[in-house]
PDB file of all heavy atoms in Angstrom:
ATOM      1  N   VAL A 307       2.546  11.615  -8.122  1.00  0.00           N
ATOM      2  CA  VAL A 307       3.450  10.474  -8.297  1.00  0.00           C
ATOM      3  C   VAL A 307       3.078   9.346  -7.336  1.00  0.00           C
ATOM      4  O   VAL A 307       2.967   8.183  -7.732  1.00  0.00           O
ATOM      5  CB  VAL A 307       4.919  10.918  -8.072  1.00  0.00           C
ATOM      6  CG1 VAL A 307       5.833   9.701  -7.952  1.00  0.00           C
ATOM      7  CG2 VAL A 307       5.384  11.801  -9.210  1.00  0.00           C
ATOM      8  N   VAL A 379     -18.810 -12.130  -4.720  1.00  0.00           N
ATOM      9  CA  VAL A 379     -18.785 -13.598  -4.692  1.00  0.00           C
ATOM     10  C   VAL A 379     -17.903 -14.052  -3.513  1.00  0.00           C
ATOM     11  O   VAL A 379     -18.397 -14.423  -2.467  1.00  0.00           O
ATOM     12  CB  VAL A 379     -18.275 -14.177  -6.032  1.00  0.00           C
ATOM     13  CG1 VAL A 379     -18.325 -15.706  -5.985  1.00  0.00           C
ATOM     14  CG2 VAL A 379     -19.121 -13.662  -7.188  1.00  0.00           C
ATOM     15  N   SER A 413     -17.578  -3.405 -18.669  1.00  0.00           N
ATOM     16  CA  SER A 413     -17.318  -3.857 -20.046  1.00  0.00           C
ATOM     17  C   SER A 413     -15.830  -3.954 -20.318  1.00  0.00           C
ATOM     18  O   SER A 413     -15.376  -4.849 -21.039  1.00  0.00           O
ATOM     19  CB  SER A 413     -17.994  -2.908 -21.040  1.00  0.00           C
ATOM     20  OG  SER A 413     -17.469  -1.593 -20.916  1.00  0.00           O
ATOM     21  N   ASP A 470      -2.970  23.231   3.180  1.00  0.00           N
ATOM     22  CA  ASP A 470      -3.030  24.238   4.255  1.00  0.00           C
ATOM     23  C   ASP A 470      -1.661  24.866   4.477  1.00  0.00           C
ATOM     24  O   ASP A 470      -1.540  26.084   4.686  1.00  0.00           O
ATOM     25  CB  ASP A 470      -3.519  23.585   5.549  1.00  0.00           C
ATOM     26  CG  ASP A 470      -4.966  23.122   5.448  1.00  0.00           C
ATOM     27  OD1 ASP A 470      -5.686  23.616   4.545  1.00  0.00           O
ATOM     28  OD2 ASP A 470      -5.373  22.261   6.258  1.00  0.00           O
ATOM     29  N   ARG A 532      -1.500 -23.965 -10.462  1.00  0.00           N
ATOM     30  CA  ARG A 532      -1.461 -23.930 -11.936  1.00  0.00           C
ATOM     31  C   ARG A 532      -1.371 -25.344 -12.504  1.00  0.00           C
ATOM     32  O   ARG A 532      -2.022 -25.670 -13.493  1.00  0.00           O
ATOM     33  CB  ARG A 532      -0.257 -23.101 -12.375  1.00  0.00           C
ATOM     34  CG  ARG A 532      -0.126 -22.953 -13.879  1.00  0.00           C
ATOM     35  CD  ARG A 532       1.167 -22.269 -14.235  1.00  0.00           C
ATOM     36  NE  ARG A 532       1.337 -22.154 -15.674  1.00  0.00           N
ATOM     37  CZ  ARG A 532       2.488 -21.974 -16.269  1.00  0.00           C
ATOM     38  NH1 ARG A 532       3.601 -21.880 -15.558  1.00  0.00           N
ATOM     39  NH2 ARG A 532       2.569 -21.880 -17.578  1.00  0.00           N
ATOM     40  N   VAL A 538       0.560 -28.256 -16.281  1.00  0.00           N
ATOM     41  CA  VAL A 538       1.881 -27.765 -16.677  1.00  0.00           C
ATOM     42  C   VAL A 538       2.828 -28.028 -15.516  1.00  0.00           C
ATOM     43  O   VAL A 538       2.697 -27.421 -14.458  1.00  0.00           O
ATOM     44  CB  VAL A 538       1.841 -26.253 -17.012  1.00  0.00           C
ATOM     45  CG1 VAL A 538       3.245 -25.743 -17.311  1.00  0.00           C
ATOM     46  CG2 VAL A 538       0.920 -26.011 -18.196  1.00  0.00           C
ATOM     47  N   ALA A 575      22.748 -17.424 -12.428  1.00  0.00           N
ATOM     48  CA  ALA A 575      23.329 -17.212 -13.753  1.00  0.00           C
ATOM     49  C   ALA A 575      23.014 -18.355 -14.712  1.00  0.00           C
ATOM     50  O   ALA A 575      22.788 -18.139 -15.909  1.00  0.00           O
ATOM     51  CB  ALA A 575      24.847 -17.044 -13.636  1.00  0.00           C
ATOM     52  N   PHE A 591      19.242 -24.532  -0.381  1.00  0.00           N
ATOM     53  CA  PHE A 591      18.645 -23.670  -1.408  1.00  0.00           C
ATOM     54  C   PHE A 591      17.573 -24.477  -2.128  1.00  0.00           C
ATOM     55  O   PHE A 591      17.607 -25.713  -2.190  1.00  0.00           O
ATOM     56  CB  PHE A 591      19.700 -23.205  -2.408  1.00  0.00           C
ATOM     57  CG  PHE A 591      20.937 -22.652  -1.753  1.00  0.00           C
ATOM     58  CD1 PHE A 591      21.978 -23.493  -1.381  1.00  0.00           C
ATOM     59  CD2 PHE A 591      21.058 -21.299  -1.485  1.00  0.00           C
ATOM     60  CE1 PHE A 591      23.112 -22.998  -0.764  1.00  0.00           C
ATOM     61  CE2 PHE A 591      22.182 -20.800  -0.867  1.00  0.00           C
ATOM     62  CZ  PHE A 591      23.216 -21.653  -0.503  1.00  0.00           C
ATOM     63  N   SER A 599      10.282 -31.064 -16.875  1.00  0.00           N
ATOM     64  CA  SER A 599      10.064 -32.368 -16.265  1.00  0.00           C
ATOM     65  C   SER A 599      11.205 -32.695 -15.321  1.00  0.00           C
ATOM     66  O   SER A 599      12.276 -32.071 -15.363  1.00  0.00           O
ATOM     67  CB  SER A 599       9.965 -33.441 -17.353  1.00  0.00           C
ATOM     68  OG  SER A 599      11.230 -33.626 -17.969  1.00  0.00           O
ATOM     69  N   ALA A 607      20.188 -29.686 -13.065  1.00  0.00           N
ATOM     70  CA  ALA A 607      20.789 -29.667 -11.729  1.00  0.00           C
ATOM     71  C   ALA A 607      22.195 -30.266 -11.738  1.00  0.00           C
ATOM     72  O   ALA A 607      23.088 -29.790 -11.027  1.00  0.00           O
ATOM     73  CB  ALA A 607      19.899 -30.431 -10.752  1.00  0.00           C
ATOM     74  N   THR A 630      31.490 -29.008  -2.718  1.00  0.00           N
ATOM     75  CA  THR A 630      30.524 -29.698  -3.580  1.00  0.00           C
ATOM     76  C   THR A 630      29.127 -29.516  -3.002  1.00  0.00           C
ATOM     77  O   THR A 630      28.957 -29.079  -1.857  1.00  0.00           O
ATOM     78  CB  THR A 630      30.838 -31.195  -3.680  1.00  0.00           C
ATOM     79  OG1 THR A 630      30.777 -31.777  -2.371  1.00  0.00           O
ATOM     80  CG2 THR A 630      32.225 -31.423  -4.284  1.00  0.00           C
ATOM     81  N   ASN A 665      27.814 -34.979  -3.400  1.00  0.00           N
ATOM     82  CA  ASN A 665      28.277 -34.516  -4.714  1.00  0.00           C
ATOM     83  C   ASN A 665      27.570 -35.270  -5.838  1.00  0.00           C
ATOM     84  O   ASN A 665      28.203 -35.762  -6.771  1.00  0.00           O
ATOM     85  CB  ASN A 665      29.793 -34.640  -4.838  1.00  0.00           C
ATOM     86  CG  ASN A 665      30.313 -33.924  -6.091  1.00  0.00           C
ATOM     87  OD1 ASN A 665      29.687 -33.001  -6.603  1.00  0.00           O
ATOM     88  ND2 ASN A 665      31.453 -34.376  -6.589  1.00  0.00           N
ATOM     89  N   ARG A 666      26.271 -35.345  -5.765  1.00  0.00           N
ATOM     90  CA  ARG A 666      25.502 -36.039  -6.798  1.00  0.00           C
ATOM     91  C   ARG A 666      24.066 -35.510  -6.799  1.00  0.00           C
ATOM     92  O   ARG A 666      23.639 -34.821  -5.873  1.00  0.00           O
ATOM     93  CB  ARG A 666      25.510 -37.549  -6.587  1.00  0.00           C
ATOM     94  CG  ARG A 666      24.823 -38.008  -5.297  1.00  0.00           C
ATOM     95  CD  ARG A 666      25.184 -39.450  -4.967  1.00  0.00           C
ATOM     96  NE  ARG A 666      26.607 -39.555  -4.657  1.00  0.00           N
ATOM     97  CZ  ARG A 666      27.418 -40.486  -5.150  1.00  0.00           C
ATOM     98  NH1 ARG A 666      26.935 -41.392  -5.980  1.00  0.00           N
ATOM     99  NH2 ARG A 666      28.687 -40.515  -4.811  1.00  0.00           N
TER     100      ARG A 666
END
Side-chain angles (χ1 to χ4, degrees):
V307 168
V379 183
S413 61
D470 293 341
R532 182 187 178 201
V538 175
F591 311 87
S599 69
T630 60
N665 191 25
R666 65 195 65 227

